[in-house]
Amino acid sequence: HGITHLELIQTFIQKLLMMNYRARYIQTKETNKQDQTQQTDNDFSEEESDIFDDVFGNLSPSDKASNQSDPVHPMDVQMAVFHCADGFLKQLMVTKLSQCQYALPLLVPDPFTRQIEFPLWTFRQIKKSWKMRNNNEIISQTQPIYKAETPMVFFFRFGSVSSSKSQLMNDLINEKHNTFFHRNCPGSSTSRVLMDGVVEIAWFCPSGKNTDKFTDCVAFCNLHGDAGKHEKQLQILTEMASVNVVLLSRTDKYDRNASIIKNLYKDKKLLICLFPEDKSTVIEMKKRKFIIGLKDRSQSDVSEELRKAINACLLESSSTFRLEDVSKHSDIRVDEEDDDDCRRGREAAQQIMSLLGNKDLTKVKESFLPHQKLWHQRKNTEIRHQQHEFHISDFIKRFIKEINLYDQHQKMFFLKWLKILLDEHTSWSTVLKLKENRDKFQYLKTEQTELETISEELQAAAFGLEHIMREIGQIYESCESVEKNKKDLKDLSSLPSLAAEMMISGSPLELMDGDAAHVPVIWISAVLDQLVQKLGDQRVFVLSVLGLQSSGKSTMLNAMFGLQFAVSAGRCTRGAFMQLVRVSDEMKTQIKFDYILVVDTEGLHAPELAGRSTRDHDNELATFVVGLANLTLINILGENLAEMQDILQIVVQAFMRMKKVRLNPSCVFVHQNISDITAREKNMEGRRRLQEKLDEITKLAAEEEGCDAERFSDVIKFDVQKDVKYFAQLWEGNPPMAPPNPNYCENIQELKKTIISHASKSHEMSLTHLKDHIKNLWEALLKEQFVFSFRNSLETAANRKLENEYSKWSRSLHNAMMVIEKKLHDEIKNEAIHEVEETDLQRELNKTSKKVKKSMSEFFEKDAYAEILIQWKTSFETKIKDLQGNIVRETKGKLNEILQHRDLKKKNEERKQLENTLVEKSKELALKLKDKANDEETLKKEFGLIWENSVKKIITDTDVLNDVTQVLSCCKQGNQYNNILSFKISEKGYNISYIQQLTDYIRKSVIEHQKKCEKYEFQEEFFVDLVYFICNRANTIFIHQHRLFREANDPDLYTEKKREEYYSIFQKHCHGATLIAIFGEIICQKLKEPIEQSVYKKTARDLTDEMRSNCESLNGSRSNLEKHILKTLAEEEDFNKYMNYIHNPRDHFKSFIRDEVSQYITDKFSVSVLPKMEENIKLLQQKIMKAAHESTEHVHMNRGDAGLWLKSFRQQLSDVLIFSEKDLSGVKHDDVDDFNLLEDVIRQELTYIMSDISSRFNTETFPVKLDYKLRPDELLIDHFCQCCWVQCLFCKAICTNDTKNHDGDHSVPLHRVIGIDGKYFTDTGNLCANICTDLVASDLNFKSPNGWLNLKDYRRAGGVYADWSITPDLSELPYWKWFVCRFQKNLEKYYNKTFDGEGRIPYEWRAYSKRYAIDSLHKLYLGSGQRTETLRFTSHHCQR
């Protein structure tokens, strides 16, 4: 439909990168308009029009057309891009032009200064292949084009000629393709502005057939414009050419170009003159000088004559043209020399290459890359120590040093140059000869050994940038594995950083070592970590490709994304490479990813792997890339189902394995090289046959994998109509001169749309998750039982993530309910509400509940592990629902207790009345003693008399033992025991019912014990004695708790404590203070205790939230807390603490939390706790004063009295303070009428009170002043410890379920060495050094309550055994291995047994250091637990 001028450049670049040669023929909207039929402006009807007026008028249609603005010339678009591009884009652009079989800019005048530039750098990546016939032998050549020495034919013209020089050249090179753009090409115009003086070059490459126009590779150069105006270009090219071909009109000898023509005619150089006005056939004027007429002759005749003349000339010429030699000419600018960064990059790369010297190609890797050589030989963990002993080669040291010296731009030049020079050094001609030798031997079965030797030499001779990066990866892995840096390596972390920067700049990175079929997980993980640091944890869509070797996988990816995966002859992809493709902001609106990670793989059935188990390798590779990707492209060459059979079976089996491990990637089948892709019926038939074949293979694979699947669609979501693509042939004609097929490029565009469609529906995956995914997938592939192993590691990672999310959801609900509880608590205290119903709490919690449900729904639907998590969705929805119900019920219980407490405190009205009566009596006495206000002794004496008359001490402690006697006198079975801690005597007061409950509990415990033991029977006397004994011990606690209650609630005792406060008020009365001043002081005195309580409560909640965020051990799930507990235990190395943790985990957790909180408060008191308290008290003071001010305004507005002021004041503070007008009942305030003065008094008194409270803030008073239930440690204990604490019967590992009394089995992700719990082999004193998950897969037996059972059938033991799920697993935690080794003697002494005989500790366990053990915890709780080899029992019996 055409595009605007502004879109020309972008469209040109996009099409060119996709190798679409139609990039030159882009039409703009303006062009389209001009292409439409032009009409005259007259209004005559068709009948009235006249040919003489229309055609032969004053202004012809052609003249009219010329008045229109000329369209942009396609070559101007190309050259504009070329002039504006940097060195890397120029090189990429010229490389793609070459792939499109277009001529390339050789000499380019600057459009402003006219200085000539030779862009040698742009040719550095181009290689050309051709075949020559030598008698009956065909010789193949592949060379970097800048090195190739070929004949060169130079075309130029003088003046303006009627024939197209470029079109003539095209007929010589490839008559079906416009290698050189000419005047008759679509889109051509007369307004060309950037091509004059440009010299373009193209090569004819023969195919080794008799039909070749030239028998050797020939370069053709074309000078655009009048050669007479471009003398420098003409001089350079005529000198370097083997044959000069000039187009010119018949001129006289005095023409300005005549002298140049004369010199060319005299020169020994071969010359062909073409005359557009001459009708003559080819004439040889003298030796090596030909003329050919062009007038009235067919293009084919002229082309044939010209070809013969050139061939004849070339036979006589021995001169050759070499691209690099152009740079030797003076007065031209060479881009490589002019760009400082490019020049430095080349010099650095050359210095590194000098280290290789003249070493035998097949020995280079062995000498300079020793780490990977050793790894390829052995491939096991032991080899890492040997690798670490190796020195880093000078080559690699120099590479690391150089690359760290440069900025990003310079670094890219250095890497490009190094790649160019390495390709040049390994001399692909040499490699291809080896390859040809190998091919010749393919048919010789008896020569298998020689064939394998040649194959090995071929692999050894390959030496590129990927091998250097592989060596660096091996160096990094060896250092990480032994946890020690190399002496000759300063900064280990710079290595993955270097690789990450290369990926960001667009270079592929080796994901799987193609020579060893190995994924260096540690190295890849480190590189991805660096990517996260540099880019952020970006979202990636992983696209992989699978197919047979040389089926066009890399070419397809390069065309689709403009990448540069190796595709040239002899350079088939080995292993797997990954490359980042950034998603544009515009595209992000369609897909929710920041990058596409493209994974290109080696071909299946690669002959290089003939010496290995090819099928196993192919299965491994296919399973890996399919499991890694969100979408896999299955690339198939042609439609031959017989050839497809093997690859389809591998692919279907891989997808089936993904189904079993709950991964659901997508796939698209791409049939390449289809001749007639437009025939709808043929495509439908092809799809039907593919569907049948997939279903057939699915049945076969299902049998092998042990699955129930009848159709391919049972294994993977697959739409045969949408997910099967047919691609045209890649080449439009026969290589090597054929350009890419434009239909192929259109097919690529359609495939890209399909990929985007899949990506828009795919789950998000971050770089961090990708790292874990690669690790889990590869480690599972290394196991014999891939499906089980991978599913176990995936489910562990997914479950851990779900556990963390559940922790957040539960925290949200708990925090919301804490706010609700605080609000309702204050309302209860302020008598604003009188009952609490569950429905009220549910309603209050509803807003948070909806947010949690939404968060859960999004997590289960959108998380990267969504397919695995779905199995737990229902149970966790139920769990959250139950949690919410429990929170509501617990809160209701707490608030109802507070309601009871409030009712209990109603008797405090008496206390308050007494207080207020004291105030009034003090006032009356003060009036009498006004003249004795300065007599302190008299005042104290008189006040004491009032006090003694008003307050009588009644302190009587309860007689607990008397109540015990009373209960036991009628002792019988009572109600079920309620937790003794729920008595809360200090809050509610003592009641005889507590003794009844305690007695019932003791009786129940005695009966349960009696059932287990048949050897003796307890008499009633024993029970009575036991109750007396227990209650006697509890007597002191009961009395102490009741005294606390009395002190808080008994009016007389409470008032006694307030004596000093009342005396102060009495004194002020005596000294003549106003009623308002005293009333304001009384209000502030009443507020003092509520203020203190509020500040401490608020600070405790704030501190709890802060620790949940900032304290490492407390800022995650229980699993994270356990990690820190284990880390602390290892660091302290205290065996007794370990035993407490193992045998009493819940108590240990509580103790650890209390210690953490206590330490945090101590460490952070001045920087965190104290500022919070000061801030809270400041906010509270502001709120009180605001309430006082607004109450004053309210009274003034309503002309109210002190009663209205107090009511308004109380209402405004009801949500933050426990304060009521009843606190002032009895205190006369009728005469209080100056509320502005009252406000000032409160402000002044409040400042003193706040200062007094603040002065007592310190680390000692903070925990004491807090309500026990609201202490941060208790809040955190309540959060972390409301979970399952059931321990494994064999190893004491704790069930990781976050819910008490949960449904389903108990389970843990990783069990321990069972000797830790004292388990030993029967008839010996040998402790077991085995792990539960290993034991349940063995043939060993154990002693259960029901007798001896095989460990595989442990559930048959019933009881708690039946509630545990222990699955066979090859993974185990190095932490516990280190523990057993470190505390072997302690364990042996503790259990009075030894780790000997069948229980001997494996020697390799002793290699684990404490640091490694602690680090393994970190890896485990990040979802990357250490995997180690399996150890088995040698005995047949094991004693519990």
Side-chain angles (χ1 to χ4, degrees), residues 559-576:
M560 196 181 311
F561 297 110
L563 306 179
Q564 298 184 62
F565 286 120
V567 294
S568 56
R571 291 304 295 270
C572 286
T573 306
R574 297 295 314 281

Side-chain angles (χ1 to χ4, degrees), residues 1230-1260:
D1230 299 339
D1231 297 332
V1232 175
D1233 53 3
D1234 188 345
F1235 298 106
N1236 288 324
L1237 178 58
L1238 178 61
E1239 188 180 333
D1240 289 339
V1241 170
I1242 290 175
R1243 181 179 289 106
Q1244 184 177 353
E1245 288 295 325
L1246 199 59
T1247 303
Y1248 296 144
I1249 285 174
M1250 294 301 191
S1251 177
D1252 182 48
I1253 293 171
S1254 297
S1255 68
R1256 295 198 296 275
F1257 288 163
N1258 57 60
T1259 52
E1260 293 176 2

Side-chain angles (χ1 to χ4, degrees), residues 505-719:
S505 67
S507 297
L509 183 71
E510 188 175 58
L511 175 61
M512 176 187 279
D513 182 338
D515 293 325
H518 167 76
V519 176
V521 172
I522 298 172
W523 166 244
I524 295 296
S525 297
V527 173
L528 291 174
D529 282 337
Q530 286 295 320
L531 279 177
V532 172
Q533 279 194 24
K534 295 174 188 298
L535 300 175
D537 202 2
Q538 300 292 309
R539 302 162 300 173
V540 288
F541 178 82
V542 184
L543 175 72
S544 65
V545 61
L546 269 179
L548 294 173
Q549 185 167 309
S550 301
S551 60
K553 302 182 300 300
S554 302
T555 303
M556 177 173 67
L557 294 176
N558 290 350
M560 196 181 311
F561 297 110
L563 306 179
Q564 298 184 62
F565 286 120
V567 294
S568 56
R571 291 304 295 270
C572 286
T573 306
R574 297 295 314 281
F577 285 80
M578 57 181 180
Q579 187 165 350
L580 278 175
V581 178
R582 191 170 65 83
V583 175
S584 66
D585 293 336
E586 180 187 355
M587 189 59 69
K588 284 179 188 176
T589 60
Q590 299 180 49
I591 59 175
K592 53 202 172 192
F593 295 96
D594 304 297
Y595 287 86
I596 294 175
L597 186 80
V598 183
V599 179
D600 188 21
T601 61
E602 71 179 71
L604 304 176
H605 290 183
E608 286 87 348
L609 299 172
R612 311 176 193 175
S613 175
T614 308
R615 180 177 172 80
D616 287 346
H617 172 77
D618 286 351
N619 278 336
E620 195 174 83
L621 178 66
T623 305
F624 181 67
V625 299
V626 165
L628 187 62
N630 299 90
L631 175 66
T632 302
L633 303 179
I634 313 298
N635 197 55
I636 298 167
L637 196 62
E639 287 186 284
N640 188 326
L641 288 176
E643 290 181 8
M644 288 160 49
Q645 174 84 25
D646 284 346
I647 180 178
L648 288 182
Q649 192 153 351
I650 292 167
V651 168
V652 170
Q653 205 159 336
F655 278 116
M656 197 166 287
R657 287 175 163 199
M658 294 308 107
K659 177 91 171 173
K660 289 169 78 174
V661 296
R662 297 191 181 91
L663 288 182
N664 289 317
S666 307
C667 75
V668 171
F669 285 87
V670 179
H671 289 274
Q672 295 220 35
N673 212 28
I674 306 301
S675 56
D676 184 10
I677 63 166
T678 58
R680 176 177 173 80
E681 294 78 10
K682 184 177 179 183
N683 285 356
M684 288 179 66
E685 174 62 18
R687 285 186 167 92
R688 186 190 64 76
R689 286 191 296 139
L690 175 64
Q691 182 77 68
E692 286 180 357
K693 179 57 69 176
L694 286 170
D695 291 344
E696 177 189 328
I697 291 170
T698 298
K699 290 180 184 177
L700 294 173
E703 291 177 13
E704 191 167 333
E705 290 289 325
C707 292
D708 294 325
E710 294 290 323
R711 300 169 60 83
F712 184 60
S713 56
D714 295 337
V715 177
I716 188 171
K717 188 177 179 183
F718 176 72
D719 186 335

Side-chain angles (χ1 to χ4, degrees), residues 48 77 87 418 584 1147 1208 1243 1407:
E48 294 173 325
V77 175
L418 186 59
S584 66
D1147 290 344
S1208 172
R1243 181 179 289 106

Side-chain angles (χ1 to χ4, degrees), residues 818 1096 1099-1105 1107-1108 1114 1121 1146-1147 1149-1161 1262-1264 1266-1282:
M818 280 175 68
Y1096 276 99
T1099 304
R1101 285 195 301 275
D1102 292 346
L1103 197 57
T1104 302
D1105 288 340
M1107 283 187 280
R1108 287 303 319 269
L1114 304 172
L1121 175 59
R1146 188 171 186 174
D1147 290 344
F1149 267 73
K1150 288 182 178 181
S1151 175
F1152 182 84
I1153 292 170
R1154 289 190 181 108
D1155 288 344
E1156 288 287 278
V1157 171
S1158 175
Q1159 191 62 46
Y1160 190 90
I1161 290 172
F1262 181 73
V1264 175
L1266 281 172
D1267 187 319
Y1268 184 79
K1269 294 181 297 181
L1270 297 176
R1271 286 168 51 138
D1273 50 0
E1274 293 307 313
L1275 292 173
L1276 289 166
I1277 285 170
D1278 186 59
H1279 173 77
F1280 282 110
C1281 296
Q1282 297 300 318

Side-chain angles (χ1 to χ4, degrees), residues 908-923 943 946-947 950-951 1048-1059 1061-1062 1065 1082 1085-1086 1089 1222-1228:
N908 289 344
E909 298 304 323
E910 180 187 341
R911 182 197 75 191
K912 293 168 188 171
Q913 187 63 41
L914 181 60
E915 289 181 47
N916 298 330
T917 301
L918 275 167
V919 172
E920 292 305 313
K921 285 186 177 182
S922 298
K923 188 163 61 173
F943 180 77
I946 295 176
W947 185 266
S950 301
V951 181
N1049 296 281
D1050 188 284
D1052 302 322
L1053 293 177
Y1054 181 86
T1055 311
E1056 179 64 30
K1057 292 195 299 182
K1058 295 285 185 177
R1059 181 168 182 159
E1061 290 178 18
Y1062 294 125
I1065 293 168
I1082 291 171
Q1085 288 294 341
K1086 298 290 184 185
E1089 192 172 320
K1222 291 181 180 180
D1223 290 338
L1224 296 168
S1225 61
V1227 177
K1228 292 181 181 179

Side-chain angles (χ1 to χ4, degrees), residues 1247-1414:
T1247 303
Y1248 296 144
I1249 285 174
M1250 294 301 191
S1251 177
D1252 182 48
I1253 293 171
S1254 297
S1255 68
R1256 295 198 296 275
F1257 288 163
N1258 57 60
T1259 52
E1260 293 176 2
T1261 59
F1262 181 73
V1264 175
K1265 287 283 184 180
L1266 281 172
D1267 187 319
Y1268 184 79
K1269 294 181 297 181
L1270 297 176
R1271 286 168 51 138
D1273 50 0
E1274 293 307 313
L1275 292 173
L1276 289 166
I1277 285 170
D1278 186 59
H1279 173 77
F1280 282 110
C1281 296
Q1282 297 300 318
C1283 52
C1284 185
W1285 289 97
V1286 177
Q1287 291 181 271
C1288 172
L1289 278 301
F1290 298 109
C1291 73
K1292 289 288 187 179
I1294 312 160
C1295 173
T1296 52
N1297 199 298
D1298 283 327
T1299 307
K1300 285 191 296 187
N1301 305 318
H1302 59 85
D1303 295 330
D1305 293 333
H1306 300 297
S1307 64
V1308 292
L1310 290 164
H1311 287 261
R1312 307 170 185 168
V1313 178
I1314 69 171
I1316 289 171
D1317 188 37
K1319 303 297 187 299
Y1320 63 96
F1321 288 95
T1322 196
D1323 299 328
T1324 73
N1326 298 329
L1327 290 166
C1328 282
N1330 294 77
I1331 296 172
C1332 307
T1333 47
D1334 185 16
L1335 291 171
V1336 295
S1338 71
D1339 294 323
L1340 292 162
N1341 299 322
F1342 77 106
K1343 186 72 174 292
S1344 76
N1346 299 326
W1348 287 93
L1349 286 174
N1350 188 284
L1351 277 156
K1352 289 179 182 175
D1353 303 321
Y1354 70 91
R1355 282 183 184 260
R1356 285 175 51 200
V1360 283
Y1361 286 95
D1363 296 335
W1364 270 90
S1365 172
I1366 306 172
T1367 54
D1369 186 7
L1370 302 179
S1371 58
E1372 54 224 28
L1373 185 61
Y1375 182 90
W1376 292 108
K1377 293 181 179 180
W1378 167 81
F1379 169 78
V1380 170
C1381 295
R1382 167 62 183 83
F1383 294 103
Q1384 178 181 348
K1385 291 182 179 178
N1386 303 74
L1387 287 166
E1388 290 174 341
K1389 183 178 179 182
Y1390 189 86
Y1391 293 113
N1392 196 25
K1393 291 179 176 54
T1394 59
F1395 283 103
D1396 287 324
E1398 295 150 321
R1400 187 180 301 280
I1401 297 171
Y1403 176 76
E1404 51 267 34
W1405 288 17
R1406 302 192 184 278
Y1408 294 125
S1409 65
K1410 180 168 75 172
R1411 176 47 48 197
Y1412 186 79
I1414 292 172

